[in-house]
Amino acid sequence: MNHLNDIFKNNRRWVADKLKKDNQYFSKLAEGQRPRILYIGCSDSRVSAEELMGLAPGEVFVHRNIANMVPNTDLSAMSVIKYAVNILKVQDVVVCGHYHCGGVKAAMEHADLGLLNPWLRNIRDVYRIHQQKLNKIGDEEKRFRKLVEYNVREQCINVIKTAVIQRAWKERGVRVHGWVFDIGTGKLKDLKIDFEGILSHIMEVYRID
Ligand code: CO
């Protein structure tokens, strides 16, 4: 239980530290949140959300799951997008994947992981969409990294498909971004997805008037 006791000790130290700098810190936080970004990332313990972006509590709305997925029928992810965009009025939505992602790796292998199978199948769908290009990459590590990037792109497309994003883009220019975090270097990379290009392509099929 020692590691849990440490957490409460850490918390008391953190509270004291914050209050020393600003004795209103927590009462101000309690008044409400106005994050400008929705961050959708992986649950991986090595990939923090706020810390790697240098943001403080209150500055980013966060959703995390295995391999930063945005399945169309996932009520949790869809609710987060709806709430962040329509109620909190975030300006940017980020899907952030990461190299060395265990979820993406598992999807490249063929082990039966029970309950995880349908979740990983969403990543295998990404593999299937980009199968020809991926199969041409002989080096396994490079193929793995490329799949991480394709997965981010496909999850961005899933976000852009939603009526919530299409409306918010029209009304106030909300945008979607795809990033990858490299655990090996600590660096964030912007995949520079062509948001407008994807959006116009998407709207031909997925538009909801
Ligand atoms: Co991961």
Side-chain angles (χ1 to χ4, degrees):
M1 284 295 279
N2 267 346
H3 63 289
L4 294 184
N5 287 336
D6 285 348
I7 285 173
F8 284 89
K9 244 191 268 167
N10 293 344
N11 172 257
R12 284 191 293 272
R13 204 180 307 128
W14 177 72
V15 170
D17 200 47
K18 290 286 183 201
L19 291 176
K20 204 159 73 182
K21 286 179 195 143
D22 177 1
N23 63 5
Q24 308 279 301
Y25 184 79
F26 294 102
S27 53
K28 278 190 235 160
L29 263 190
E31 282 167 16
Q33 57 171 332
R34 272 216 198 111
R36 303 199 56 196
I37 304 172
L38 163 59
Y39 168 100
I40 300 171
C42 183
S43 298
D44 193 302
S45 62
R46 300 164 294 177
V47 187
S48 65
E50 291 90 342
E51 195 177 347
L52 72 87
M53 293 188 282
L55 296 177
E59 293 183 318
V60 56
F61 200 66
V62 175
H63 180 70
R64 291 171 70 178
N65 60 36
I66 293 172
N68 41 272
M69 304 301 290
V70 187
N72 294 304
T73 53
D74 179 25
L75 199 53
S76 176
M78 291 302 136
S79 303
V80 164
I81 293 169
K82 170 92 180 161
Y83 184 72
V85 173
N86 286 7
I87 311 292
L88 297 176
K89 307 277 184 203
V90 297
Q91 192 58 40
D92 295 282
V93 178
V94 170
V95 176
C96 185
H98 69 101
Y99 298 128
H100 311 283
C101 182
V104 173
K105 185 82 188 164
M108 289 174 79
E109 292 160 357
H110 297 281
D112 182 351
L113 296 174
L115 186 65
L116 271 171
N117 291 340
W119 191 260
L120 298 179
R121 211 174 291 136
N122 292 308
I123 310 171
R124 292 191 177 120
D125 287 341
V126 173
Y127 197 106
R128 180 173 48 76
I129 293 168
H130 300 280
Q131 197 168 5
Q132 283 187 333
K133 283 170 283 172
L134 284 166
N135 284 351
K136 279 187 194 141
I137 305 171
D139 184 89
E140 170 116 21
E141 193 57 33
K142 280 188 188 151
R143 189 150 32 100
F144 180 19
R145 288 168 82 90
K146 200 72 196 166
L147 181 57
V148 165
E149 293 173 8
Y150 281 142
N151 186 45
V152 167
R153 189 188 147 78
E154 291 303 323
Q155 303 319 311
C156 286
I157 290 173
N158 281 345
V159 176
I160 298 168
K161 278 176 193 171
T162 63
V164 170
I165 291 293
Q166 290 174 32
R167 283 202 190 107
W169 170 76
K170 234 187 258 176
E171 287 166 14
R172 54 190 184 87
V174 166
R175 300 177 70 86
V176 178
H177 312 267
W179 297 351
V180 176
F181 175 68
D182 190 342
I183 296 179
T185 63
K187 288 186 179 162
L188 255 187
K189 180 161 99 183
D190 186 350
L191 294 180
K192 296 194 165 67
I193 60 157
D194 174 16
F195 174 72
E196 261 93 22
I198 294 171
L199 187 75
S200 64
H201 181 70
I202 284 290
M203 285 180 84
E204 190 185 324
V205 179
Y206 297 92
R207 189 183 68 236
I208 294 171
D209 291 324

